[in-house]
Amino acid sequence: MRSRKKNIFIATCIIPTFTLFALIVIYPTIKTFSMSFYQWSGISQNAVFIGFKNYADLFKDRTLIIAFKNTIFLILTVPIITMVLSLFFAAILTQFKLKGKNFYRTVFFFPNVLALVVISILWSQIYHPTMGILNSFLDSIGLEGLKQVWLGDEQVVMWAIVMTMVWQAVGYYMVMYIAGIDGIPKALYEAATVDGASGIRKFFSITIPMLWEVIRTTIIFMISSTLNMSFIFCRVMTAGGPNKSSEVLLTYMYNQAFQNANFGYAMAIAVVIFIFTVCLALVSNRLTERRD
Amino acid sequence: MSDNKDFNWRRNITRFIITLVLMIYTVITLFPMLWSIYSSVKSSNEILTSPWGLPNKLNFQNYINAFTKANMGDYFLNSIFITVLSLTLLLVLAIPTSYVLARFKFMFSKTLKNIFVAGLFIQVMIYLVPLFLLVNKVHLLNNRLVLCVIYAVTSLPFTIFLLISFMKSIPKDYEDAAMIDGCNYFGILVKIIVPMVKPAVVTVSIFSALGFWNEFPLAFTFISSSSKKTLSVGLANLMEIQRYATDWGALFAGLAIVMIPTLLFYVFTQKKLTEGVSIGGLKG
């Protein structure tokens, strides 16, 4: 009797959840892979099996190559700049016993709470060539030469997006690093001070090694979330423009599906993105492994 | 003696530079939002001609426009409705599931757990298109309830993962005692387990709610009627329209309407949020 009641309980708890999960996550994921081998324009009966042709076409697709390059650019620059800044601020706030530690932590974390759409729109306005404050600011301090059409110039646009993404992310990782650093025994630092080590020396010889596991995890977080967020930032701020120069893999995939109704092709792009993400995670895991 | 003076002087300069750097970054962090808010009460003319300047007098026409012409009120209500319902669904699904997977051993329990956790590595954007096609096939597009279900289910991996690790650490004695007292399984879940994992549930709720409120790709793809859109989508829409017009007033007002409640939310939950992130970092 008890066992039967127990089984009913277990089933009631699990079956609804798993059913929905299978329907909404598992099934579509499988379809992503299977659909990539077809050519389909969305009208039911017309799915044509074409094997790896979608994938072969990817190599010849000039826009895809741009999107791929831009995605890699983001995945490299955003995490690096974010990490440098957030480690820097975390180190400062923990080493110098400033009275503002909690204040700065609260303030710097705030951008992370805002919706990505809000941040995209906000920075689109800041970057506006005439109505935005960035160019006006450069004017007012005499640096008119540095003015750009931030989101309208093919050479500059990706960097502008990078800066916005960094602005969004620094606070989040800074908080993580502060927590990590707070967990490092003070005795280590004291011993180093007695030995005459400078602040910078202490940072590289104590803080970084002790924080290494946390840093490893955040690298993967950063890469994955940069990739994920690229859709929103590039879509809202520039819609991939000017002239596809800020197109990224996710926006391209989305447009192929919903603008061009090229569903099979879009799914091939999705599979590529997925494989790319997995490889990145494996590689960065390997590269940051410590051999001790 | 003079060594000490040198050292002090150097230390003070360093402190000064550090404080300066921190203050500069504080400005970089906060000023964009402040600018947006004080610009929202400028007239269109002022916005065009003096980006930096403070408004001459408070002009609330932009807010009126945001609500009447740009539907912000609808977007706001939709976002609230969707966030609350999605969160409720998420907890109703995740708490029992996590409990069972954490505390009971049965056929496939390990496999199920692994399947849910594997979901952590699959991003929504990867399967968004087939999901759209599926929902389209059953004619359930443009349906806010469906969006809520999707929101809840896509948040399951993280929530279940977190709750399982919390529930694993509850001593068995409580359940045994309750059973002896004649409590049935559901009773144990509701009266004993849930109160014990309240901190985890609160943290997960705050993060999930924030995620639902701010979400864009799914809301954008699955909802098309203007009256059903969420804030994120509505704002993006507004910006599309304003891209070619030069009346930014309503856009600034829209941003402010979203940022100010977010700020309030942050003030109340800030501690929990940074704690949650810190734990993530420590578990590292």
Side-chain angles (χ1 to χ4, degrees):
Chain A
M1 245 330 110
R2 178 121 265 170
S3 173
R4 199 165 151 262
K5 270 195 183 177
K6 184 163 102 158
N7 288 340
I8 295 182
F9 174 67
I10 294 180
T12 323
C13 287
I14 296 233
I15 292 185
T17 313
F18 185 72
T19 315
L20 285 173
F21 190 70
L23 202 62
I24 292 179
V25 178
I26 302 179
Y27 171 73
T29 305
I30 298 177
K31 282 297 259 180
T32 297
F33 284 89
S34 67
M35 268 172 67
S36 67
F37 297 115
Y38 286 77
Q39 181 178 328
W40 189 41
S41 58
I43 309 162
S44 317
Q45 263 44 311
N46 276 357
V48 178
F49 182 77
I50 53 172
F52 283 94
K53 182 164 183 300
N54 280 329
Y55 293 94
D57 286 343
L58 287 175
F59 286 101
K60 307 184 221 141
D61 186 341
R62 206 173 292 152
T63 314
L64 180 100
I65 295 179
I66 296 179
F68 195 69
K69 273 200 258 173
N70 283 338
T71 307
I72 295 194
F73 176 73
L74 284 181
I75 288 185
L76 286 178
T77 46
V78 174
I80 292 179
I81 302 180
T82 306
M83 187 176 299
V84 165
L85 284 176
S86 34
L87 271 176
F88 173 68
F89 287 123
I92 295 182
L93 288 179
T94 47
Q95 266 207 1
F96 281 90
K97 291 197 207 68
L98 291 165
K99 37 196 172 105
K101 177 176 170 186
N102 282 332
F103 168 76
Y104 289 115
R105 200 168 67 162
T106 309
V107 167
F108 291 179
F109 188 76
F110 184 56
N112 203 266
V113 173
L114 293 174
L116 296 182
V117 170
V118 168
I119 296 177
S120 302
I121 298 179
L122 189 55
W123 280 87
S124 298
Q125 294 171 320
I126 292 176
Y127 284 141
H128 193 275
T130 48
M131 290 197 276
I133 46 177
L134 185 53
N135 275 352
S136 322
F137 175 68
L138 290 174
D139 257 340
S140 65
I141 56 173
L143 285 175
E144 302 94 17
L146 284 183
K147 280 181 7 175
Q148 310 281 347
V149 184
W150 299 96
L151 295 178
D153 182 332
E154 295 186 24
Q155 307 295 338
V156 179
V157 62
M158 286 309 290
W159 282 105
I161 294 181
V162 164
M163 285 303 134
T164 306
M165 293 181 81
V166 168
W167 182 87
Q168 187 268 345
V170 167
Y172 181 83
Y173 294 101
M174 182 193 78
V175 167
M176 252 196 213
Y177 293 143
I178 289 181
I181 295 179
D182 278 346
I184 299 177
K186 296 272 184 299
L188 284 173
Y189 289 108
E190 283 158 18
T193 318
V194 163
D195 283 346
S198 70
I200 299 186
R201 189 76 206 292
K202 281 188 260 185
F203 179 71
F204 284 102
S205 310
I206 303 179
T207 314
I208 301 263
M210 293 298 289
L211 215 49
W212 194 243
E213 282 308 307
V214 176
I215 292 181
R216 278 184 84 198
T217 315
T218 53
I219 290 179
I220 300 194
F221 269 33
M222 284 185 197
I223 293 179
S224 163
S225 60
T226 302
L227 182 61
N228 241 2
M229 293 184 187
S230 64
F231 176 71
I232 299 183
F233 284 107
C234 295
R235 171 121 197 163
V236 176
M237 291 177 84
T238 57
N243 230 0
K244 302 287 179 208
S245 56
S246 64
E247 194 80 41
V248 283
L249 286 177
L250 280 179
T251 51
Y252 190 53
M253 174 200 87
Y254 195 86
N255 289 340
Q256 282 299 316
F258 292 106
Q259 267 177 18
N260 301 3
N262 230 339
F263 290 104
Y265 193 57
M267 292 303 89
I269 302 176
V271 170
V272 165
I273 296 175
F274 179 71
I275 296 180
F276 181 56
T277 314
V278 170
C279 288
L280 270 178
L282 289 174
V283 164
S284 76
N285 220 27
R286 237 331 161 65
L287 284 178
T288 55
E289 222 162 33
R290 253 208 305 216
R291 281 182 252 114
D292 58 9
Chain B
M1 249 306 112
S2 79
D3 254 351
N4 245 350
K5 259 213 279 187
D6 250 346
F7 176 69
N8 272 337
W9 185 81
R10 206 153 23 116
R11 203 171 62 158
N12 285 335
I13 291 269
T14 317
R15 286 190 95 93
F16 175 71
I17 297 181
I18 300 268
T19 314
L20 193 64
V21 166
L22 285 172
M23 290 211 293
I24 292 178
Y25 196 72
T26 304
V27 170
I28 295 178
T29 304
L30 294 181
F31 190 70
M33 293 171 269
L34 283 170
W35 172 65
S36 186
I37 294 178
Y38 78 67
S39 297
S40 68
V41 289
K42 288 196 222 177
S43 67
S44 321
N45 203 28
E46 284 177 302
I47 294 175
L48 269 173
T49 53
S50 73
W52 275 87
L54 287 170
N56 276 333
K57 52 180 168 127
L58 298 179
N59 179 338
F60 288 100
Q61 186 59 37
N62 295 326
Y63 284 89
I64 299 177
N65 287 345
F67 278 104
T68 54
K69 291 198 219 155
N71 256 341
M72 287 296 296
D74 279 346
Y75 301 153
F76 212 91
L77 290 173
N78 287 332
S79 282
I80 294 181
F81 170 71
I82 289 175
T83 301
V84 170
L85 188 58
S86 306
L87 184 60
T88 312
L89 268 170
L90 173 65
L91 293 178
V92 163
L93 288 173
I95 294 179
T97 305
S98 310
Y99 174 55
V100 165
L101 287 177
R103 318 282 293 180
F104 292 75
K105 279 195 186 27
F106 54 95
M107 189 165 55
F108 295 132
S109 64
K110 201 142 203 280
T111 316
L112 280 171
K113 205 188 322 185
N114 289 337
I115 293 182
F116 280 117
V117 172
L120 277 171
F121 298 100
I122 307 176
Q123 307 292 354
V124 172
M125 294 299 298
I126 302 283
Y127 59 84
L128 177 109
V129 176
L131 181 61
F132 172 83
L133 293 170
L134 174 65
V135 174
N136 187 32
K137 216 197 290 193
V138 294
H139 304 292
L140 282 176
L141 278 181
N142 207 24
N143 184 324
R144 282 168 292 187
L145 282 171
V146 170
L147 186 65
C148 291
V149 173
I150 296 178
Y151 274 3
V153 173
T154 50
S155 300
L156 279 175
F158 176 68
T159 309
I160 291 182
F161 176 68
L162 209 74
L163 286 178
I164 287 183
S165 64
F166 254 85
M167 291 192 177
K168 271 210 150 92
S169 60
I170 301 177
K172 253 203 168 284
D173 312 322
Y174 291 98
E175 287 160 290
D176 294 339
M179 281 230 242
I180 293 174
D181 280 347
C183 209
N184 68 7
Y185 287 105
F186 284 104
I188 297 180
L189 177 61
V190 172
K191 290 188 222 159
I192 299 185
I193 303 293
V194 169
M196 291 202 80
V197 292
K198 214 151 60 130
V201 170
V202 167
T203 306
V204 145
S205 300
I206 293 179
F207 273 97
S208 302
L210 196 59
F212 298 151
W213 181 264
N214 291 343
E215 203 274 341
F216 180 73
L218 287 169
F220 180 65
T221 310
F222 286 82
I223 304 279
S224 42
S225 318
S226 187
S227 60
K228 297 188 189 178
K229 290 187 178 171
T230 58
L231 277 172
S232 286
V233 180
L235 272 179
N237 229 22
L238 193 56
M239 167 149 149
E240 274 304 307
I241 301 176
Q242 300 297 5
R243 211 192 268 275
Y244 303 105
T246 45
D247 178 16
W248 274 8
L251 193 54
F252 277 124
L255 280 184
I257 291 174
V258 177
M259 286 195 288
I260 294 176
T262 308
L263 177 61
L264 289 172
F265 175 81
Y266 182 57
V267 165
F268 285 117
T269 60
Q270 178 259 349
K271 213 153 183 275
K272 271 289 173 183
L273 279 172
T274 46
E275 258 165 36
V277 173
S278 304
I279 295 177
L282 284 176
K283 280 226 173 105

